[in-house]
Amino acid sequence: MIELAGLTKRFGSKTAVDDLSFQVRPGVVTGFLGPNGAGKSTTMRMMLDLDNPTSGSVRIDGRHYRDLDEPLKYIGALLDAKSMHGGRSAYNNLLCLAQSNRIPERRVAEVLDTVGLTAVAKKKSKGFSLGMGQRLGIASALLGDPEILMFDEPVNGLDPEGIHWIRNLMKALAAEGRTIFVSSHLMSEMALTADHLIVIGQGRLLADTSMADFIRQNSRSFVRLRSPQWEHLLDVLARNGITVTQTADGALEVDNGRIERLGELAAQHQIVLHELSGQQASLEEAFMQMTAGSVEYHAHSDTGHGPPPAPAANWGESYRAKAQGPAGNVTAERSASDGEGV
Amino acid sequence: MTTPYQQQAPGAPLGTYTSPIPVRPASLGDALASEWTKIRSVRSTMWTLGVLILLVLGIGLLAAVAVNASDAHMGDTPLLSLGFYGVLLGSICVITLGVLTIASEYGTGMIRTTLTACPSRARILAAKSVVFFLLSFVIVTLCTGLVAMLQMGMVSSAEQPTGSQLFKATIGVSLYVSTLGLLSLAVGALIRHSAGAITVMIGVVLLPLVLALFMFAPSLEGVRQALFEYSIPSQLAVFYGSSVSDSGPTGWTPLLILGAVTAAALGGAFAALNSRDV
């Protein structure tokens, strides 16, 4: 169990972490999510007593990190792949860590085997690829067989097989009753691994919720229709009290619409449909909307998350929609106002 | 907070996992073992110590051979002072190793891992200092001892050194050079940058002598004299009984002065490590 209470960190006039309070509970994978520069790494460094908080505190099982006797047996952390001496072999890098916490030397070979680096154990770690460095960092986190594991962006630089492996590893470790705290800036990655979610933006807590709740609250489902007789279709839908949104590329969207009913309506009125499909807004979208106001480093374009443009102004601008940021983002925002079902 | 949804293995109560490896209070001994593994497992240690051995032995022997061949009489000059130049150059290697012992951890990012494994800054600094000092002391003692024996055997035109002279030219010199390395370690911890810290230390060794060379004005005579007497090469020469003047520090005083400076620098390094973000 990790507890943060009013944790704050200022660098000069810039507040990196702002009055952050939450708990990381055992037995689950807790995802720590935020855009780049949100203060995730700073928070994790303060948890490990590498950075001193401006105010507030972090307690690990009720104790300060500095008061832990042999910390690697409580907490294993992967901070970034380059936290090793490149001139030293993978084996010796782990051996000196093991010795400092009186961990038996056989654990070094064991964890190297776990992460699949046995073959390069005697190689200098500076020759390692990003993925191999990441595995070595994970090995160092597992060294003391600790109760709590912290991973900062663990999938960075891993190949698909490696990503799959780390996901399963985290789930297996959590199932043993360990506390897993993992940061990421990718919602899609978190959706696959985390049970609980902590979202921060500009150092502030934005959400502290279970993954299931987050999905329930934030995934919008809608039905997408395309028709050459779209004006006729609009009439029919309006007469039936169905609220419709037009998207930039000429399609119609019905929020929480029942796909069967819409198909039947079109058939009744002999309207040709080119598309009738159920859609789900992605979690990535929900995450981006949540953190939209707190993104630290914007790529400046005239798009982003401004107020939705009026529907009529959008005709013929489909090229522009394609040029905009993450795909499909425009439609989701425009229809955010109408929540009426069929 | 709401967590209706927890992927908990059935039957496993919350938070029961504890490391099967028994936890005991960490001690300095563990940190020493760890630091010993670190210092012996990087190539820069082998390089700096290898060059050190080469310089001390090589120059010491060359000097002895040269004196023998020229048939010159050494007169009052103590025999063992032939070893001085090798040790002076070799001290650059000790400085480099001292700086690298800690500054390379900042360069590679290893320091974060180190301090995560051992959050006590005092223990880390102490362990690094002890391991480095002992390693340096043993190597320099072996080299200076060997050079002294060979010089005593080879050069016949000078008086054989007394026991006390021999002791100071081996153990005394080794203590002095290793303390200088310890000062470098403290400077490395303060500056956190290998090249910068090595440059500062070479400046500390050379600058007073170079400055003194250019102080021609009579009004600066006092400063000039002090710079000469208290510069590190002159103080090192005291251990060989060949100091530059009669008024400067004598006996074991140079070691006390350097020891005090080093202790202060280590204190500063500890305070910095303790308060700084890594």
Side-chain angles (χ1 to χ4, degrees):
Chain A
M1 169 88 97
I2 311 174
E3 289 166 281
L4 279 72
L7 199 65
T8 303
K9 177 72 179 175
R10 284 191 207 90
F11 295 106
S13 62
K14 188 174 157 6
T15 304
V17 175
D18 193 359
D19 196 23
L20 208 54
S21 301
F22 61 81
Q23 295 182 335
V24 184
R25 268 149 305 171
V28 291
V29 178
T30 300
F32 189 37
L33 204 61
N36 289 332
K40 299 189 294 294
S41 294
T42 307
T43 305
M44 289 179 122
R45 281 203 303 271
M46 284 193 283
M47 286 169 146
L48 296 172
D49 197 28
L50 292 175
D51 284 8
N52 302 305
T54 310
S55 65
S57 69
V58 182
R59 301 210 171 244
I60 291 134
D61 291 338
R63 291 199 282 170
H64 274 301
Y65 194 88
R66 236 175 249 217
D67 299 332
L68 296 176
D69 281 328
E70 290 174 315
L72 294 187
K73 294 174 187 173
Y74 290 100
I75 292 205
L78 163 76
L79 279 188
D80 61 71
K82 296 291 165 197
S83 293
M84 295 284 175
H85 193 301
R88 201 172 281 138
S89 70
Y91 188 90
N92 280 332
N93 262 318
L94 293 179
L95 178 62
C96 64
L97 289 179
Q99 286 173 329
S100 70
N101 277 247
R102 219 180 328 207
I103 295 163
E105 190 172 341
R106 62 177 163 78
R107 277 293 294 167
V108 175
E110 278 174 26
V111 293
L112 279 170
D113 189 51
T114 306
V115 302
L117 289 180
T118 307
V120 291
K122 301 287 176 192
K123 293 253 158 52
K124 285 185 182 185
S125 63
K126 73 176 149 205
F128 283 12
S129 68
L130 188 54
M132 287 160 83
Q134 204 77 316
R135 283 170 187 263
L136 181 58
I138 292 165
S140 75
L142 295 175
L143 200 57
D145 204 354
E147 158 196 351
I148 303 171
L149 284 154
M150 270 169 64
F151 299 113
D152 194 6
E153 312 264 1
V155 300
N156 269 1
L158 288 181
D159 52 17
E161 190 270 330
I163 293 174
H164 190 71
W165 167 75
I166 182 99
R167 266 184 215 146
N168 289 335
L169 178 72
M170 284 193 285
K171 289 197 167 171
L173 291 169
E176 289 170 358
R178 297 184 216 239
T179 310
I180 314 285
F181 189 59
V182 52
S183 83
S184 178
H185 55 258
L186 295 175
M187 182 67 216
S188 50
E189 183 54 40
M190 285 292 96
L192 290 167
T193 35
D195 308 309
H196 194 85
L197 203 58
I198 287 161
V199 184
I200 65 168
Q202 288 193 336
R204 278 189 213 95
L205 190 66
L206 296 179
D208 183 350
T209 166
S210 78
M211 195 71 206
D213 280 354
F214 184 84
I215 292 174
R216 208 175 302 125
Q217 284 159 16
N218 290 292
S219 55
R220 186 181 70 101
S221 69
F222 59 93
V223 176
R224 189 175 150 89
L225 299 124
R226 278 195 310 127
S227 164
Q229 297 159 278
W230 62 272
E231 283 167 312
H232 190 185
L233 184 61
L234 270 180
D235 274 354
V236 170
L237 294 177
R239 260 186 273 130
N240 284 275
I242 298 169
T243 315
V244 181
T245 326
Q246 277 180 350
T247 66
D249 59 353
L252 306 177
E253 285 180 7
V254 179
D255 262 16
N256 302 317
R258 265 176 47 223
I259 198 164
E260 302 85 352
R261 167 125 168 82
L262 293 169
E264 281 158 16
L265 269 176
Q268 263 173 35
H269 296 86
Q270 300 197 321
I271 298 170
V272 176
L273 290 185
H274 285 172
E275 181 182 353
L276 174 66
S277 60
Q279 306 271 343
Q280 282 252 318
S282 72
L283 288 173
E284 203 72 50
E285 242 165 60
F287 167 58
M288 281 173 50
Q289 279 180 18
M290 180 180 269
T291 56
S294 61
V295 174
E296 186 82 356
Y297 305 108
H298 280 291
H300 280 287
S301 65
D302 57 340
T303 59
H305 300 275
N314 269 307
W315 279 107
E317 288 191 11
S318 54
Y319 74 94
R320 193 168 159 248
K322 282 185 194 126
Q324 284 184 353
N329 210 6
V330 185
T331 56
E333 293 205 358
R334 290 203 29 236
S335 45
S337 52
D338 48 63
E340 219 171 298
V342 176
Chain B
M1 277 170 281
T2 53
T3 27
Y5 173 76
Q6 287 189 334
Q7 280 193 345
Q8 177 72 35
L14 288 179
T16 50
Y17 196 88
T18 38
S19 178
I21 310 167
V23 177
R24 287 168 289 186
S27 69
L28 182 63
D30 305 324
L32 287 174
S34 168
E35 291 302 328
W36 171 242
T37 301
K38 280 185 195 172
I39 207 165
R40 72 174 169 79
S41 61
V42 289
R43 201 168 280 177
S44 56
T45 308
M46 302 305 146
W47 274 109
T48 46
L49 292 181
V51 174
L52 169 76
I53 292 167
L54 214 65
L55 286 172
V56 176
L57 291 185
I59 298 180
L61 287 183
L62 270 180
V65 169
V67 167
N68 248 2
S70 70
D71 247 5
H73 195 74
M74 288 186 69
D76 281 350
T77 319
L79 167 64
L80 294 180
S81 65
L82 291 174
F84 168 75
Y85 301 100
V87 172
L88 183 59
L89 280 175
S91 68
I92 305 284
C93 299
V94 178
I95 285 171
T96 306
L97 183 61
V99 166
L100 286 180
T101 301
I102 193 151
S104 74
E105 294 221 5
Y106 283 99
T108 57
M110 178 77 188
I111 189 74
R112 287 192 287 274
T113 313
T114 299
L115 291 180
T116 310
C118 174
S120 162
R121 273 62 168 164
R123 200 187 312 144
I124 284 291
L125 198 61
K128 280 190 183 298
S129 302
V130 168
V131 166
F132 164 77
F133 188 86
L134 287 181
L135 177 64
S136 159
F137 178 71
V138 167
I139 300 285
V140 180
T141 305
L142 287 176
C143 289
T144 50
L146 189 60
V147 166
M149 295 303 155
L150 290 169
Q151 286 171 343
M152 282 156 65
M154 286 164 70
V155 182
S156 49
S157 62
E159 257 178 67
Q160 289 295 309
T162 63
S164 137
Q165 278 176 327
L166 182 61
F167 186 75
K168 281 170 86 178
T170 52
I171 304 288
V173 164
S174 304
L175 283 174
Y176 191 80
V177 170
S178 301
T179 308
L180 184 63
L182 212 49
L183 176 63
S184 314
L185 190 149
V187 169
L190 285 167
I191 296 184
R192 292 185 280 184
H193 190 276
S194 306
I198 292 170
T199 310
V200 166
M201 282 310 296
I202 290 178
V204 166
V205 172
L206 293 183
L207 205 60
L209 271 187
V210 175
L211 280 179
L213 285 180
F214 290 96
M215 288 186 178
F216 300 119
S219 58
L220 289 173
E221 189 54 39
V223 182
R224 178 187 147 96
Q225 188 66 21
L227 283 174
F228 252 129
E229 286 166 359
Y230 288 91
S231 73
I232 283 167
S234 313
Q235 303 233 334
L236 181 61
V238 170
F239 288 95
Y240 287 104
S242 57
S243 55
V244 287
S245 68
D246 302 328
S247 59
T250 52
W252 292 88
T253 320
L255 187 61
L256 293 179
I257 297 171
L258 187 64
V261 171
T262 303
L266 280 173
F270 169 71
L273 270 175
N274 222 15
S275 61
R276 245 175 354 204
D277 290 349
V278 181

